Amino acid sequence: MKNSFVMKGNICQTVTPTELDLHGNAYAVCIDGISKGVFDVLPEEYAALPLYDYGDALIFPGMVDLHVHAPQYAFRGMCMDLELMDWLNQYTFPEEEKYEDLNYAEKAYGMFVDALKKGATTRACIFATRHRPATELLMKLMEESGLISFVGKVNMDREASEALTEESAEISADTTVEWINAVKDNFQNTRPILTPRFIPCCTDQLMEKLRQIQMACGIPVQSHLSESKGEIDFVKFLHPDDPFYGDVYNDYDLFGKNDDIDTDVRTVMAHCVWSTEEEVSLMRKNGVFVAHCPASNMNLTSGIAPIRKYLDLGLNIGLGSDIAGGHSDSIFRAITDAIQVSKMYFRMVDESVRPLIFPEAFYLATMGGGAFFGKVGCFEKGYEFDAVVLDDRVLPHPQSLNLAQRMERAVYLGLDEKNITAKYAAGKRIQI
Amino acid sequence: MKNSFVMKGNICQTVTPTELDLHGNAYAVCIDGISKGVFDVLPEEYAALPLYDYGDALIFPGMVDLHVHAPQYAFRGMCMDLELMDWLNQYTFPEEEKYEDLNYAEKAYGMFVDALKKGATTRACIFATRHRPATELLMKLMEESGLISFVGKVNMDREASEALTEESAEISADTTVEWINAVKDNFQNTRPILTPRFIPCCTDQLMEKLRQIQMACGIPVQSHLSESKGEIDFVKFLHPDDPFYGDVYNDYDLFGKNDDIDTDVRTVMAHCVWSTEEEVSLMRKNGVFVAHCPASNMNLTSGIAPIRKYLDLGLNIGLGSDIAGGHSDSIFRAITDAIQVSKMYFRMVDESVRPLIFPEAFYLATMGGGAFFGKVGCFEKGYEFDAVVLDDRVLPHPQSLNLAQRMERAVYLGLDEKNITAKYAAGKRIQI
């Protein structure tokens, strides 16, 4: 059977948000890309499978990046002096204009995909730009990488630079339909996702057309929500009659499950820093995913999303790097950032809102975001087999460490940028 | 002349907090360890000096780590689930006890010094433990490294584990005098610094003795101040008559310049997250340095120090990694953390307090902390020549970048952990 093997090493995961699930010197079994579980002693029935013995290395589930902008990788770690709306106009839109040029796109997207391949991420929800050819190129590169992703051609027909704004709602919609038809059967691991940039960049006409496209194609949706105060004020100005930002997406049936019309649109919204109670309540009802991007929210001075509250309410939540609002493509970094900002929220804003603990943040980065892709994010039986093998011998220490300490340290010290030995997505080895 | 040369490359520094000072393809001249300035064209008088041409690399001043605990390097990136006082008792004190054993100390301190050598830090204010032999060993290792540092044998005679608490104020003081006498003339680059751990761990008797030692030896002082709410409450309980925490240090003339007794004790206090107006006012008057440690303040849920306010008041401020409250020994990381937490302070706490901008945070990491060591932190004429040469070709990008962008990106993306080509402290090459 293809993609069937046994992996041996120190298996570190979270199958619930509350605690680490650690198996020293254990076996993870993968049959046809699907996990059969973790075993301290290898069951006889799997004894004939190929055994990949990773010795004393750490084996984590692959990381899920629920929100990342591929074209912005080019200016990661720069331009960190503005808030969202000015940052978009001054830095982001001029860079995204360049993806009209396929040569530039090939160079830039090549670097992005290469970085993703080399890191600990196995799955991602990716924004491209508004350009169809460059988006298809990105999808081709992603497919070749072996990583598993949703990739979106961005829709935007107002409030951007002239070169980046699509000519009309019709053209934006028509291009989107052509794009979906062109890519939907082309790739195994790279699927299209409907991607209205955000409400400020999408006219009502465009949103209505996207609604119709979604209903016809049934593909999932990604966008931005309640990220920054200036943005939220602008949405209020554009849609004075909507009680909250997310309600605009909901008006066009692009906001998760809608019982009224019996649809279930898999939807992920990045940020949700300033979501009102009503908005959160609707996200919960509709099963909308939150892509929490703590580094971006710091860098763009957006604020701190109250993730503890969302967790307690049972929302779907994953982590995002949000390159280039976030400057690092490491989801390990997003884990530690999520913990840190939750501690600041507790200390500086509201001491009734407990900080996240390490297992919770690790869970968000794996099972939390993984749920957007199906059964993804751990090695329990029935889950797709995404794994990252990490050699932590590059991190010197003078004393003996237990597995929980090694796991926490690997994440805090960014071992994903230092030493990944091997990586698998749905049981297929990624060439790193 | 020893340590005299010309260095060529892209010189990036801040000589004021307000802007970057960039010199592409320029010359920095070092005579006998002291900078002669930066030149676009090499002056004739220096033409005969050895020329180190670093091509298109970036040349930064060395980073200054104004607060780091060498023995805690062993558990960096772990144990991030507690606040200060519990974290000390549960994790830190048990680790520090081990430095009674010189074999362990040699192994652990060897790893710490090696990490410091390989990073971008050229100067540091270091806490050892209360153990004199291990502290002397650390100083020997630091001296061998070529880095420049103050190292403190810690004083602590109460409120710690039995094994870590010194037997009495007398023994603590006597050991300290013996230590100072043993090390003061032994090293060129490694100087002793008086290090009362913090008020909770030091009896009044001990503080009085340290006062006398300081007056006799004239060495500088480092300690902790107003870091965490639990700590501050405890100091208030121990010293109910002192109007604020820093006043206790001041009572014993260990708090900077004191005009009343005509002393000028060079003093650095880590954290100052919750300093009251009175405390800040006294720090300003006395010229006390603040070691701002943003990562630690997040990890231990301490809070966000209002550095903008301190800058506006003209306080002396540098950055610290605070290993292992902070999990990274990178001062590049401290720069970006300082900017990020200042943005969160602005957005979540007080919108009248502007966030730090990149040049300001870079300035704190170089000139700001450097002032504790004398004329240190840039390549202006008369400054000690500390330099780090960074090859940013390891960071791929599809477009051309200007020097300001390359400088910001190198810091945000942690180039100090990826590719340091060469490193100099006071004109002497560090073997990395």
Side-chain angles (χ1 to χ4, degrees):
Chain A
M1 264 179 304
K2 225 175 56 168
N3 304 326
S4 300
F5 53 85
V6 177
M7 190 180 277
K8 192 175 180 207
N10 297 301
I11 295 161
C12 306
Q13 62 180 357
T14 47
V15 293
T16 71
T18 49
E19 58 183 351
L20 304 180
D21 182 60
L22 305 170
H23 303 267
N25 210 17
Y27 301 87
V29 177
C30 175
I31 301 287
D32 204 16
I34 304 296
S35 184
K36 291 289 168 186
V38 177
F39 306 93
D40 291 330
V41 177
L42 186 65
E44 191 56 37
E45 56 182 313
Y46 305 127
L49 290 172
L51 175 71
Y52 306 144
D53 188 344
Y54 288 111
D56 195 37
L58 304 175
I59 301 174
F60 287 9
M63 296 292 123
V64 179
D65 188 343
L66 218 45
H67 184 69
V68 56
H69 293 263
Q72 298 175 18
Y73 186 73
F75 68 98
R76 71 205 182 284
M78 296 182 274
C79 317
M80 289 279 136
D81 53 349
L82 294 177
E83 291 193 31
L84 176 67
M85 301 305 276
D86 294 328
W87 177 81
L88 286 171
N89 287 311
Q90 200 159 321
Y91 302 124
T92 309
F93 293 159
E95 178 62 28
E96 290 196 10
E97 287 172 12
K98 298 180 188 168
Y99 292 76
E100 175 75 33
D101 173 0
L102 268 182
N103 288 324
Y104 186 80
E106 182 157 23
K107 192 170 162 189
Y109 281 153
M111 290 171 180
F112 167 76
V113 174
D114 193 50
L116 221 56
K117 258 172 65 172
K118 287 180 178 154
T121 297
T122 50
R123 313 231 171 191
C125 284
I126 304 174
F127 279 58
T129 62
R130 67 102 150 173
H131 311 94
R132 183 188 149 195
T135 302
E136 291 182 20
L137 172 68
L138 173 60
M139 294 180 86
K140 182 176 142 285
L141 294 172
M142 282 300 297
E143 184 72 11
E144 288 167 4
S145 75
L147 301 168
I148 297 170
S149 63
F150 289 106
V151 176
K153 180 209 111 50
V154 174
N155 297 99
M156 48 194 302
D157 70 340
R158 68 174 172 192
E159 293 295 336
S161 59
E162 200 185 321
L164 201 60
T165 307
E166 293 176 292
E167 295 75 0
S168 68
E170 284 71 26
I171 291 176
S172 178
D174 291 348
T175 313
T176 301
V177 171
E178 288 157 21
W179 162 65
I180 292 170
N181 287 332
V183 300
K184 68 179 177 191
D185 301 320
N186 269 7
F187 305 120
Q188 189 184 349
N189 291 322
T190 315
R191 284 164 285 174
I193 183 167
L194 213 55
T195 307
R197 183 166 206 125
F198 65 160
I199 297 301
C201 280
C202 300
T203 61
D204 292 0
Q205 293 77 1
L206 176 56
M207 291 298 286
E208 173 56 28
K209 285 179 182 297
L210 294 180
R211 190 186 71 82
Q212 291 164 10
I213 293 172
Q214 201 290 323
M215 288 191 77
C217 305
I219 65 174
V221 172
Q222 63 181 352
S223 194
H224 299 89
L225 181 64
S226 298
E227 174 179 2
S228 179
K229 290 190 164 182
E231 168 212 21
I232 294 164
D233 290 346
F234 192 43
V235 171
K236 191 75 207 162
F237 167 79
L238 293 167
H239 293 271
D241 297 332
D242 279 279
F244 52 90
Y245 188 163
D247 197 50
V248 188
Y249 294 108
N250 198 50
D251 286 345
Y252 297 99
D253 303 326
L254 300 172
F255 205 60
K257 189 178 175 64
N258 188 334
D259 288 334
D260 299 342
I261 55 164
D262 195 28
T263 61
D264 187 0
V265 186
R266 203 182 331 173
T267 302
V268 56
M269 289 286 160
H271 306 304
C272 307
V273 174
W274 300 104
S275 294
T276 62
E277 254 183 62
E278 275 178 298
E279 185 164 281
V280 173
S281 175
L282 185 61
M283 291 170 68
R284 183 189 179 204
K285 177 166 164 284
N286 290 11
V288 171
F289 280 74
V290 176
H292 176 43
C293 308
S296 171
N297 298 336
M298 286 194 276
N299 288 332
L300 300 180
T301 323
S302 302
I304 302 174
I307 295 301
R308 162 67 60 214
K309 291 185 191 172
Y310 299 167
L311 268 176
D312 288 349
L313 288 166
L315 263 64
N316 293 317
I317 313 166
L319 299 182
S321 67
D322 193 24
I323 290 286
H327 55 277
S328 167
D329 59 342
S330 161
I331 297 298
F332 284 10
R333 175 71 188 259
I335 292 172
T336 62
D337 286 339
I339 297 168
Q340 288 185 325
V341 300
S342 76
K343 287 172 174 173
M344 288 306 93
Y345 192 91
F346 167 82
R347 179 57 76 219
M348 307 305 284
V349 181
D350 183 349
E351 294 207 346
S352 76
V353 181
R354 271 183 307 122
L356 299 185
I357 57 173
F358 179 72
E360 289 172 323
F362 193 89
Y363 180 89
L364 295 181
T366 52
M367 301 276 284
F372 194 76
F373 290 82
K375 291 192 79 168
V376 170
C378 70
F379 300 105
E380 294 292 278
K381 188 174 176 180
Y383 278 75
E384 296 188 52
F385 195 98
D386 288 12
V388 181
V389 182
L390 300 144
D391 183 355
D392 66 348
R393 283 174 302 183
V394 297
L395 306 172
H397 56 103
Q399 77 287 54
S400 65
L401 299 178
N402 63 36
L403 207 43
Q405 292 172 316
R406 290 172 63 190
M407 179 181 183
E408 187 180 7
R409 186 179 71 145
V411 172
Y412 269 92
L413 301 190
L415 189 57
D416 55 336
E417 295 190 343
K418 295 188 175 77
N419 216 348
I420 294 182
T421 306
K423 189 172 158 179
Y424 297 78
K428 278 175 77 172
R429 179 96 184 231
I430 311 283
Q431 298 307 318
I432 51 177
Chain B
M1 262 178 310
K2 225 175 53 167
N3 304 327
S4 301
F5 54 84
V6 177
M7 190 181 275
K8 192 176 179 207
N10 297 302
I11 295 160
C12 306
Q13 62 179 357
T14 48
V15 294
T16 71
T18 50
E19 57 184 351
L20 304 179
D21 183 59
L22 305 170
H23 304 266
N25 209 17
Y27 302 86
V29 177
C30 175
I31 302 287
D32 204 17
I34 304 296
S35 184
K36 290 290 169 186
V38 177
F39 306 94
D40 291 330
V41 177
L42 187 65
E44 191 56 38
E45 57 183 312
Y46 305 126
L49 290 171
L51 174 70
Y52 306 144
D53 188 344
Y54 289 111
D56 195 37
L58 304 174
I59 301 175
F60 287 7
M63 296 292 121
V64 180
D65 189 342
L66 219 45
H67 185 68
V68 56
H69 292 263
Q72 298 175 18
Y73 185 74
F75 68 98
R76 71 204 181 285
M78 296 181 274
C79 317
M80 288 281 138
D81 54 347
L82 294 177
E83 292 194 30
L84 176 67
M85 301 305 276
D86 293 329
W87 176 82
L88 286 170
N89 286 313
Q90 199 158 322
Y91 302 124
T92 310
F93 292 159
E95 178 62 29
E96 290 197 11
E97 287 172 11
K98 298 180 188 168
Y99 292 76
E100 175 75 34
D101 172 1
L102 268 183
N103 288 325
Y104 185 80
E106 183 158 20
K107 191 171 163 190
Y109 281 153
M111 290 172 181
F112 166 76
V113 173
D114 193 50
L116 221 57
K117 258 172 64 172
K118 287 179 178 156
T121 297
T122 50
R123 312 230 172 192
C125 285
I126 304 173
F127 278 58
T129 62
R130 66 99 148 174
H131 310 95
R132 184 187 150 195
T135 303
E136 292 182 20
L137 171 68
L138 173 61
M139 294 180 85
K140 181 175 142 288
L141 294 172
M142 281 301 296
E143 184 72 11
E144 288 166 3
S145 76
L147 301 167
I148 297 170
S149 64
F150 289 106
V151 176
K153 180 208 110 50
V154 174
N155 298 99
M156 48 194 302
D157 70 338
R158 68 173 172 192
E159 293 295 339
S161 59
E162 199 184 325
L164 201 60
T165 307
E166 294 177 289
E167 295 75 2
S168 69
E170 286 71 27
I171 290 174
S172 178
D174 290 349
T175 313
T176 301
V177 171
E178 289 157 19
W179 163 65
I180 293 170
N181 287 334
V183 300
K184 69 179 177 190
D185 301 319
N186 269 9
F187 305 119
Q188 190 186 347
N189 291 323
T190 315
R191 284 162 287 174
I193 183 168
L194 215 55
T195 306
R197 182 166 205 123
F198 66 159
I199 296 301
C201 280
C202 299
T203 62
D204 292 1
Q205 294 77 3
L206 176 55
M207 291 298 285
E208 173 56 28
K209 285 177 183 296
L210 294 180
R211 190 186 74 81
Q212 292 165 8
I213 292 170
Q214 200 290 324
M215 290 191 76
C217 306
I219 64 173
V221 171
Q222 64 181 352
S223 194
H224 299 89
L225 181 63
S226 298
E227 175 178 2
S228 179
K229 290 189 163 181
E231 167 212 20
I232 294 164
D233 290 346
F234 192 44
V235 170
K236 191 75 207 164
F237 167 79
L238 293 166
H239 293 271
D241 299 331
D242 278 277
F244 52 90
Y245 188 163
D247 198 52
V248 187
Y249 294 108
N250 198 50
D251 286 345
Y252 297 100
D253 303 326
L254 300 173
F255 203 62
K257 188 177 172 66
N258 187 334
D259 287 336
D260 299 343
I261 55 165
D262 195 27
T263 60
D264 188 359
V265 186
R266 202 181 335 174
T267 302
V268 56
M269 288 286 160
H271 307 303
C272 307
V273 174
W274 300 104
S275 293
T276 62
E277 254 183 62
E278 275 178 298
E279 185 164 280
V280 173
S281 174
L282 185 61
M283 290 170 69
R284 183 187 178 206
K285 177 166 166 282
N286 290 11
V288 171
F289 279 74
V290 176
H292 176 42
C293 308
S296 172
N297 297 336
M298 286 193 276
N299 288 332
L300 300 180
T301 323
S302 301
I304 303 175
I307 295 302
R308 162 68 59 212
K309 292 185 191 173
Y310 300 166
L311 268 176
D312 288 349
L313 289 166
L315 263 65
N316 293 316
I317 313 167
L319 299 183
S321 67
D322 194 24
I323 291 284
H327 55 277
S328 166
D329 59 343
S330 162
I331 297 299
F332 284 10
R333 174 71 189 257
I335 291 172
T336 62
D337 286 339
I339 297 168
Q340 288 186 325
V341 301
S342 77
K343 288 173 174 171
M344 288 306 92
Y345 193 90
F346 167 81
R347 174 88 322 135
M348 308 304 285
V349 182
D350 184 349
E351 294 207 346
S352 75
V353 181
R354 272 184 305 124
L356 298 185
I357 57 173
F358 179 73
E360 289 172 323
F362 194 90
Y363 180 89
L364 295 182
T366 53
M367 301 276 284
F372 194 77
F373 290 81
K375 291 191 79 169
V376 169
C378 70
F379 299 106
E380 294 291 279
K381 188 173 175 181
Y383 279 74
E384 296 187 53
F385 196 98
D386 288 11
V388 181
V389 183
L390 300 146
D391 183 355
D392 65 351
R393 284 176 300 184
V394 297
L395 306 173
H397 56 104
Q399 78 287 54
S400 66
L401 299 178
N402 64 35
L403 207 44
Q405 292 172 315
R406 289 172 63 189
M407 180 181 182
E408 187 180 5
R409 187 180 69 146
V411 172
Y412 269 92
L413 301 189
L415 189 58
D416 55 336
E417 293 190 345
K418 295 188 173 79
N419 215 350
I420 294 181
T421 307
K423 190 171 158 181
Y424 297 79
K428 277 175 81 171
R429 179 97 185 231
I430 309 284
Q431 299 307 318
I432 51 176

